[in-house]
């Protein structure tokens, strides 16, 4: 049997069920999944099969059930046997699970032996992926191996009727992990409950507390205290990117945010992600610096016993942000935290359960009344996608440069790693290399193919090209937007042909320019570029990404040419210093250092700047978010656009931009202009879909994190008779492309018997 069943109390459940039905046999964890042999009365065996599916534990999913009749072995009893560790390892690894209701009740029950014990867990909850060192999932293969269970814990662990039967991280205050509070030099200030009490005082007193959590260190501060939130921003070098909040309870969230039924469900789910929620008007006592100028809050609820204990006492929301300098990966061990968080945290609340791999908090947003995962970390990773007829080849995909995640295909599944981050710092690169080695090691798989992005400057690409140079693995470059579309197809189990619409910020195009507004006709074994946006220049490349006003200048230059710099009227956005403008002018005219792009994301940036909303950004996607947030819904209409030529069709946005400038000049409301701009983009998609003649339309790329754009596009495409597909558990942003890279490598016909050769999927 295959599925995510290991470590969720599945074997105890099977044991109880078989015993109740009077069946003999055994159950064990194997690398392929759970094996069960039952024997007894035929009707009872049939009943067993039915109840297995119907009554399985809440978090268990069964993806495959193979039944074969056997000669009776005359077993009278039912046993749980030791795990076997041989053959291809394909069993699912479970993600870390938020504290269950039973454990929570015990945590606050003075009569219970685990009263206030911050590391309690059971087969229905607790750490998993963050403590697993090898498969199969058994205690000696986890970072809990160094804690020997006390007699009481032993008894629970071996009692099939107990909720902690074979709960691998089982522990109590007598035998399990313990906390300590350290100062910034690592000196112990307090232990156990006193450490907790002093941490609470520190948060209340406006201090920054670094806390070792499930998948790494978090930085906690009082979310109502503007001074400390600002101090945190300064020390973390994070100017405007919103901070996530942890609230003590669902009720306290409802005082600040509007919540739908699905959003509530997500907050309370065992994945317990950060959910993006619409804020009610007013600051309601929250510090302004938490999410400046943003109508959304990133909110989560306590998900570990330690978080429950802290928040229960604090009774107020805290900022709970990853323990790192901005753009670096989260710290996972004490020495690393003391070193890297030295200038940030005032005190350190640590514990002695090692974290096997870093795991950020996940982020989800409800769009089209569905959960869309924007960052897959704790609770979701590793994400398993089953694929049909997967051949015997093992593929490792190294992902992109930003929001990196890697993926491994072995057997009939693709396993996507946790979010790793932007590969722009040394620590991020180190975390990436560790993760690229981690998945193949866990699953005991030697990659036959290494798939990577075609961008020559991506560190993941360089890694794939050099690291595996001498190996026997075949290397396989995959075009960025093709990977996006294939990831969405894999998630939705779609086969070609489809029209893939991939809009994002940046991706290396087949012609060496920067793509990002692509319509791809995806065939069985490749794709054709059906349509793309008219290109414009980005003066300074990456610098233009940080400064939407440069992008706006590039768009205007594309319209007016050199005449732009001779015009009487001033440029519609904040004037550049004249020296800078001279430099940019030269860059645009000569094309030096000014790559061409067809990026839809950059078009958002340009329009945001032309409207005066934002001229420089602090984080990726910020200007596009401003445009989304400013929309005043309700109106209709769209701007003009032209489609020219064929294969690829060039979408000309010139009249749209000119009309936007005219609307701005005549004083039209910003909310109406932003709405009309979004409508125009949707109508462009509908127009190209009509030309493409495919019914299945696949939407992928970072632009589809925009709720208004996604929902409106899906609605309009459905109105026109198309069937749109979008992302759900796999992020629409670059966090999803490793999956697409795997799929590209599998579906493309490659020359036989070629090793260490480079092939491109185009
Ligand atoms: Zn539990
Ligand atoms: Zn114990
Ligand atoms: Fe992308």
């Amino acid at each position: 049997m295959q599925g995510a069943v290991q470590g969720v109390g599945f074997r105890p459940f099977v044991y109880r069920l078989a015993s109740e039905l009077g069946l003999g046999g055994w159950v064990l964890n194997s690398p392929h999944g759970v094996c069960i042999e039952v024997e007894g009365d035929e009707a009872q065996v049939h009943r067993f099969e039915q109840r297995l599916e119907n009554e399985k534990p809440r978090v268990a999913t069964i993806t495959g059930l193979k039944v074969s009749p056997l000669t009776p072995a005359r077993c009278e009893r039912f046993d749980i046997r030791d795990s076997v560790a041989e053959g291809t390892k394909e069993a699912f690894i479970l993600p870390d699970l938020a504290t269950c209701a039973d454990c929570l009740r015990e945590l606050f029950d003075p009569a219970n032996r685990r009263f206030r014990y911050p590391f309690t867990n059971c087969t229905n909850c607790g750490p998993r992926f963050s403590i697993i060192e090898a498969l199969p999932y058994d205690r000696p293969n986890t970072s809990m191996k160094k804690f020997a269970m006390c007699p009481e814990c032993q008894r629970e662990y071996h009692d099939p009727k107990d909720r902690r039967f074979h709960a691998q991280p089982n522990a109590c205050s007598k035998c399990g992990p313990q906390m300590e509070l350290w100062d910034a030099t690592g000196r112990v200030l307090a232990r156990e409950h006193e450490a907790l009490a002093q941490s609470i005082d520190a948060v209340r007193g406006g201090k920054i507390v670094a806390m070792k959590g499930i998948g790494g260190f978090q930085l906690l501060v009082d979310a109502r205290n503007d001074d400390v939130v600002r101090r945190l921003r300064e020390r973390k070098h994070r100017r405007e990117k919103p901070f996530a909040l942890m609230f003590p309870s669902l009720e306290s969230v409802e005082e600040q945010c509007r919540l739908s039924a699905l959003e509530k469900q997500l907050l309370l789910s065992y994945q317990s992600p950060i959910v993006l929620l619409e804020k009610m008007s007013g600051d309601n006592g929250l510090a302004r610096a938490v999410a400046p100028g943003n109508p959304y809050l990133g909110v989560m609820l306590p998900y570990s016993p330690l978080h429950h204990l802290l928040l229960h006492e604090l009774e107020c929301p805290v900022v709970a942000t990853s323990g790192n300098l901005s753009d670096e990966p989260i710290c996972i061990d004490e020495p690393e935290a003391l070193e890297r968080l030295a200038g940030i945290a005032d005190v350190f609340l640590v514990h002695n359960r090692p974290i096997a791999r870093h795991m950020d908090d996940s982020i989800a947003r409800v769009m089209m009344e569905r959960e869309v995962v924007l960052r897959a970390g704790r609770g979701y990773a590793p994400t398993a996608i089953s694929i049909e007829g997967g051949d015997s080849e093992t593929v490792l995909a190294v992902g992109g440069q930003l929001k990196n995640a890697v993926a491994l295909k072995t057997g009939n599944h693709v396993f996507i790693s946790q979010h790793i981050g932007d590969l722009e710092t040394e620590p991020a690169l180190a975390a990436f290399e560790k993760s690229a080695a981690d998945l193949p090691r866990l699953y005991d798989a030697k990659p036959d193919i290494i798939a990577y992005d075609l961008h020559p400057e991506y560190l993941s690409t360089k890694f794939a090209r050099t690291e595996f140079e001498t190996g026997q693995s075949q290397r396989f470059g995959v075009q960025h937007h093709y990977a996006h579309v294939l990831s969405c197809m894999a998630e939705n189990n779609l086969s070609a042909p489809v029209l893939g619409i991939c809009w994002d910020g940046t991706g290396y195009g087949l012609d060496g320019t920067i793509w990002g507004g692509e319509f791809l006709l995806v065939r069985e074994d490749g794709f054709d570029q059906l349509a793309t946006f008219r290109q414009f220049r980005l003066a300074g490349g990456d610098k233009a990404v940080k400064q939407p006003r440069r992008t706006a200048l590039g768009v205007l230059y594309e319209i007016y040419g050199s005449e732009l710099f001779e015009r009487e009227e001033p440029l519609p956005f904040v004037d550049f210093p004249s020296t800078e403008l001279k430099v940019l002018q030269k860059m645009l005219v000569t094309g030096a250092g000014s790559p061409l792009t067809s990026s839809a994301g950059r078009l958002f940036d340009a329009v945001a700047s032309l409207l005066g909303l934002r001229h420089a950004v602090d984080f990726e996607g910020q200007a596009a978010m401003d445009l989304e947030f400013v929309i005043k819904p309700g109106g209709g209409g769209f701007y003009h656009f032209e489609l020219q030529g064929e294969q690829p069709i060039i979408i000309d946005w010139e009249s749209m931009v000119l009309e936007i400038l005219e609307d701005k000049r005549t004083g039209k409301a910003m909310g109406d202009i932003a709405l009309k701009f979004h409508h125009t983009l949707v109508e462009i998609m509908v127009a190209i879909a009509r030309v493409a003649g495919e019914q299945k339309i696949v939407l992928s790329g970072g632009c589809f994190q925009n709720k208004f754009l996604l929902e409106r596009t899906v609605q309009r495409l459905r109105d026109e008779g198309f069937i749109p597909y979008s992302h759900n558990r796999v992020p629409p942003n670059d966090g999803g492309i490793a999956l697409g890279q795997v799929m590209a490598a599998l579906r493309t016909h490659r020359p036989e018997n070629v090793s260490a050769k480079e092939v491109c999927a185009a």
Side-chain angles (χ1 to χ4, degrees):
M1 178 182 340
Q2 293 179 328
V5 294
Q6 291 191 2
V8 291
F10 196 74
R11 287 175 303 171
F13 156 71
V14 172
Y15 175 91
R16 284 193 294 267
L17 186 61
S19 309
E20 195 187 312
L21 294 170
L23 298 169
W26 46 261
V27 56
L28 61 75
N29 274 346
S30 87
H32 303 281
V34 173
C35 289
I36 307 170
E37 207 171 293
V38 287
E39 68 176 84
D41 180 70
E42 206 182 311
Q44 290 295 80
V45 171
H46 183 66
R47 224 162 276 147
F48 174 81
E49 242 185 275
Q50 280 180 328
R51 289 183 58 185
L52 194 66
E53 176 60 41
N54 295 339
E55 299 169 22
K56 66 178 191 290
R58 181 178 66 116
V59 290
T61 53
I62 300 174
T63 57
L65 189 64
K66 278 184 226 148
V67 182
S68 36
L70 298 165
T71 325
R74 305 200 188 285
C75 302
E76 281 173 8
R77 287 191 12 216
F78 195 88
D79 296 312
I80 295 183
R81 293 199 180 163
D82 288 338
S83 301
V84 259
E86 59 207 44
T88 326
K89 290 182 183 170
E90 225 189 276
F92 290 1
I93 296 175
L94 272 181
D96 303 295
L97 310 170
T99 310
C100 74
D102 291 327
C103 286
L104 191 58
R105 199 174 21 75
E106 293 173 353
L107 186 67
F108 290 105
D109 175 5
N112 193 279
R113 74 185 195 92
R114 287 196 179 77
F115 178 55
R116 294 174 57 83
Y117 178 58
F119 304 98
T120 181
N121 64 85
C122 73
T123 44
N124 298 317
C125 73
R128 296 290 187 276
F129 194 33
S130 64
I131 60 166
I132 291 177
E133 291 166 347
L135 285 182
Y137 177 58
D138 276 331
R139 189 160 175 124
N141 285 337
T142 71
S143 64
M144 282 297 292
K145 61 175 178 278
K146 68 171 187 174
F147 301 97
M149 276 184 273
C150 69
E152 192 80 351
C153 286
Q154 284 272 7
R155 193 196 51 73
E156 295 164 339
Y157 185 86
H158 291 293
D159 177 2
K161 290 182 292 301
D162 196 281
R163 200 172 90 247
R164 294 188 168 86
F165 178 57
H166 285 199
Q168 306 306 343
N170 190 28
C172 73
S173 57
K174 281 197 210 107
C175 65
Q178 301 293 349
M179 293 182 291
E180 284 179 353
L181 186 70
W182 295 0
D183 70 8
T185 66
R187 196 168 56 91
V188 179
L189 299 174
R191 292 194 164 85
E192 300 178 44
H193 294 310
E194 185 51 29
L196 190 71
Q198 287 192 22
S199 305
I200 288 164
D201 287 345
V203 172
R204 283 199 183 119
K207 294 250 166 54
I208 300 175
V209 176
M211 186 193 107
K212 186 180 178 187
I214 296 287
F217 276 77
Q218 274 178 326
L219 294 165
L220 307 178
V221 302
D222 185 342
R224 302 163 306 177
N225 180 337
D226 207 51
D227 280 347
V228 70
V229 179
R230 255 190 254 249
R231 197 156 67 238
L232 181 61
R233 285 202 177 278
E234 273 160 36
R235 292 189 188 172
K236 236 176 101 89
H237 303 304
R238 180 152 149 162
R239 289 205 339 231
E240 288 169 354
K241 196 174 181 183
F243 279 137
L245 297 172
M246 184 177 279
F247 279 73
S249 63
L250 192 64
E251 294 69 42
S252 59
V253 179
E254 286 182 299
E255 287 167 17
Q256 302 273 359
C257 303
R258 255 176 287 276
L259 282 178
S260 71
L262 181 57
E263 284 163 342
K264 280 184 203 171
Q265 206 182 310
L266 261 178
L267 284 170
L268 294 167
S269 67
Y270 69 81
Q271 290 95 348
S272 191
I274 296 166
V275 184
L276 299 186
L277 299 173
E278 214 180 321
K279 204 159 48 170
M280 288 194 286
S281 51
D283 277 327
N284 294 327
L286 284 182
R288 282 190 154 275
V290 166
N294 196 313
Y296 281 76
L297 286 178
V299 172
M300 62 187 146
L301 290 176
Y303 53 77
S304 77
L306 182 50
H307 285 107
H308 278 288
L309 290 169
L310 273 168
L311 273 287
H312 180 77
E313 296 251 325
L314 277 168
E315 294 182 306
C316 71
V318 292
V319 166
T321 185
S322 38
N324 56 8
L325 268 174
S326 74
D327 299 333
E328 289 190 353
I330 187 167
C331 297
I332 58 172
D333 63 37
E334 290 78 276
E336 189 192 5
L338 282 181
E339 191 192 314
R340 283 174 50 206
L341 304 180
I344 304 179
D346 299 308
V347 286
F348 293 76
L349 180 59
V350 303
H351 61 73
N352 57 347
R353 182 178 73 206
I355 296 172
R357 60 185 60 69
H358 84 274
M359 206 70 60
D360 283 281
D361 290 319
S362 298
I363 304 176
R365 186 178 189 184
V366 171
M367 300 198 265
M368 298 188 317
E369 271 132 68
R370 275 180 18 184
E371 153 197 29
V372 181
V373 175
L374 303 181
R375 178 167 90 187
R378 177 192 46 78
Y380 291 96
T383 307
I385 303 287
S386 46
I387 51 174
E388 273 162 30
D391 52 32
S392 57
E393 282 170 319
T394 300
V395 185
L396 176 70
V398 295
Q401 172 88 344
L402 300 177
K403 298 185 166 66
N404 181 278
V406 300
L408 176 77
K409 179 261 170 194
T410 172
N412 291 319
H413 292 100
V414 184
F415 301 99
I416 310 171
S417 78
Q418 75 277 29
H419 165 84
I420 295 165
D422 299 349
L423 307 186
E424 289 178 330
T425 60
E426 272 302 316
L429 191 61
F432 159 78
E433 290 185 1
K434 206 174 145 195
S435 306
D438 187 35
L439 281 182
R441 187 187 53 79
L442 271 180
Y443 288 99
D444 211 357
K446 194 188 153 297
D448 302 305
I449 303 170
I450 311 291
Y452 59 88
D453 193 279
L454 287 178
H455 200 305
E457 294 305 317
Y458 279 7
L459 294 183
S460 52
T461 301
K462 288 182 172 170
F463 172 84
R465 283 183 168 161
T466 55
E467 194 69 10
F468 293 91
E469 198 141 43
T470 50
Q472 286 302 298
S473 310
Q474 190 173 322
R475 283 170 291 145
F476 193 74
V478 184
Q479 201 281 323
H480 187 94
H481 303 95
Y482 180 46
H484 269 299
V485 174
L486 290 180
S487 81
C488 190
M489 287 171 69
E491 184 181 7
N492 288 288
N493 199 14
L494 286 182
S495 53
V498 306
L499 171 65
I501 303 181
C502 182
W503 285 8
D504 65 358
T506 308
Y508 196 76
L510 291 178
D511 56 4
T513 65
I514 301 171
W515 288 11
E518 313 312 314
F519 294 76
L520 309 179
L521 276 174
V522 175
R523 297 175 262 104
E524 271 313 320
D525 62 349
F527 72 92
D528 294 303
Q529 188 190 31
L530 174 70
T532 183
F533 281 101
R534 175 178 170 187
Q535 295 197 314
F536 53 93
R537 289 198 181 275
L538 294 171
D542 279 348
K543 267 206 175 143
V545 176
K546 297 254 168 9
Q547 290 185 29
R549 62 181 181 176
R550 286 189 180 215
T551 311
L553 191 71
V555 162
L556 294 180
Y557 178 76
E558 176 63 24
I559 297 176
Y560 295 108
S562 296
E563 199 193 297
L564 174 69
F565 302 100
E566 287 140 32
R567 282 155 51 99
E568 292 286 303
E569 61 197 276
L571 293 167
F573 37 86
V574 183
D575 283 314
F576 289 97
S578 62
T579 47
E580 191 183 349
L581 195 59
K582 278 271 169 297
V583 174
L584 296 180
Q585 178 178 353
K586 200 166 167 205
M587 291 174 99
L588 288 169
V589 173
T590 61
S594 303
L596 284 167
T597 188
S598 56
S599 161
R602 293 292 89 79
L603 216 44
F604 271 88
D605 286 356
V607 170
S609 176
L610 290 174
L611 290 178
L613 272 173
R614 191 173 295 275
H615 303 296
V617 296
D618 182 44
F619 58 93
E620 198 209 358
Q622 191 180 15
M625 278 164 67
D626 289 334
L627 259 181
E628 177 190 353
F629 295 155
V630 86
I631 290 174
K632 196 170 121 249
F638 54 92
Y639 296 111
H640 291 92
F641 60 88
E642 278 97 48
L643 306 182
Q644 288 152 0
E646 53 189 303
Q647 293 284 31
I649 298 165
I650 303 296
I651 304 152
D652 193 346
W653 37 258
E654 180 172 324
S655 31
M656 173 182 78
V657 170
L658 293 176
E659 286 168 31
I660 287 174
L661 288 173
E662 181 62 15
D663 272 356
K664 192 193 171 217
R665 207 179 53 79
T666 57
K668 211 166 167 210
M670 190 91 82
D672 295 327
I673 302 178
L675 176 77
K676 228 170 140 182
F677 168 67
H678 279 80
H679 281 175
T680 312
L681 294 178
V682 174
E683 291 315 308
I684 288 171
M685 288 189 259
V686 172
I688 301 291
R690 287 203 196 103
V691 180
E694 295 299 340
Q695 206 184 21
K696 293 183 277 188
I697 316 277
V698 172
L699 308 173
S700 188
C703 292
F704 292 103
Q705 299 174 100
N706 178 322
K707 183 174 156 95
F708 185 89
L709 185 74
L710 178 68
E711 292 183 344
R712 172 91 183 179
T713 304
V714 165
Q715 192 51 54
R716 283 288 294 122
L717 287 172
R718 282 190 185 141
D719 290 349
E720 300 283 325
F722 298 103
I723 310 174
Y725 296 88
S726 56
H727 286 277
N728 192 191
R729 282 292 174 91
V730 176
N733 56 49
D734 285 4
I737 69 168
L739 169 62
Q741 291 170 346
V742 166
M743 300 313 289
L746 291 178
R747 71 206 307 271
T748 307
H749 178 75
R750 289 176 311 280
E752 300 281 334
N753 305 319
V754 185
S755 62
K757 187 172 170 176
E758 203 148 348
V759 187
C760 283

